[in-house]
């Protein structure tokens, strides 16, 4: 089972990607269901192209994220989620957007 979501964010793509892949921040935007489902790890698939993957082999889920530049200095983010209930991808991207906004406000 898989689901997908895509959304724009009002932050530079590098900020979005760095926030998403920061291990200290993933606990804030990954849903509790995925955090507690078992140990997960992040793999930066291609830093230059801003692609990463989170995997929990024990729980049987993975999440792939692609961040691209968008108009006006923002970012476009696509999430492909496998192994969890449908409908969670939008929730995850909304949480990531809040974490990115918090990151910008703090810095």
């Amino acid at each position: 089972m898989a689901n997908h979501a895509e959304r724009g964010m009002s932050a530079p793509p590098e900020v979005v990607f760095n926030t998403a892949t920061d291990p200290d921040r993933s606990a804030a935007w990954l849903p509790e269901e995925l955090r507690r489902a078992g140990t997960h790890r992040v793999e930066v698939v291609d830093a230059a192209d801003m692609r990463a993957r989170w995997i929990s082999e024990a729980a049987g889920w993975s999440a792939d994220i692609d961040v691209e530049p968008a108009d006006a200095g923002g970012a476009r983010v696509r999430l492909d989620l496998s192994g969890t209930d449908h409908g969670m991808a939008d929730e995850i991207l909304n949480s990531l957007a809040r974490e990115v906004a918090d990151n910008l406000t703090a810095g």
Side-chain angles (χ1 to χ4, degrees), residues 31-45:
E32 183 178 347
E33 174 184 332
L34 298 184
R35 289 192 315 262
R36 74 167 184 252
T39 304
H40 66 276
R41 59 185 160 79
V42 63
E43 296 177 352
V44 175
V45 176

Side-chain angles (χ1 to χ4, degrees), residues 11 15 19 25 28-29 95-107:
V15 171
T19 301
R25 292 190 174 272
W29 66 271
S95 294
L96 177 57
R98 284 190 297 275
E99 189 63 21
V100 168
D102 288 349
N103 191 17
L104 287 174
T105 303

Side-chain angles (χ1 to χ4, degrees), residues 17 20-21 41-47 49-55 63-67 78-80:
F17 184 75
T21 57
R41 59 185 160 79
V42 63
E43 296 177 352
V44 175
V45 176
D46 188 336
D49 285 338
M50 292 182 279
R51 294 177 29 219
R53 172 177 293 138
W54 289 260
I55 299 170
D64 292 286
I65 196 168
D66 293 307
V67 181
R78 177 179 169 85
L79 175 71
D80 295 310

Side-chain angles (χ1 to χ4, degrees), residues 49-93:
D49 285 338
M50 292 182 279
R51 294 177 29 219
R53 172 177 293 138
W54 289 260
I55 299 170
S56 175
E57 293 171 359
W61 67 265
S62 67
D64 292 286
I65 196 168
D66 293 307
V67 181
E68 298 176 345
D71 293 337
R76 190 95 195 133
V77 183
R78 177 179 169 85
L79 175 71
D80 295 310
L81 189 61
S82 299
T84 66
D85 293 335
H86 292 280
M88 191 178 283
D90 285 326
E91 173 190 333
I92 291 171
L93 284 187

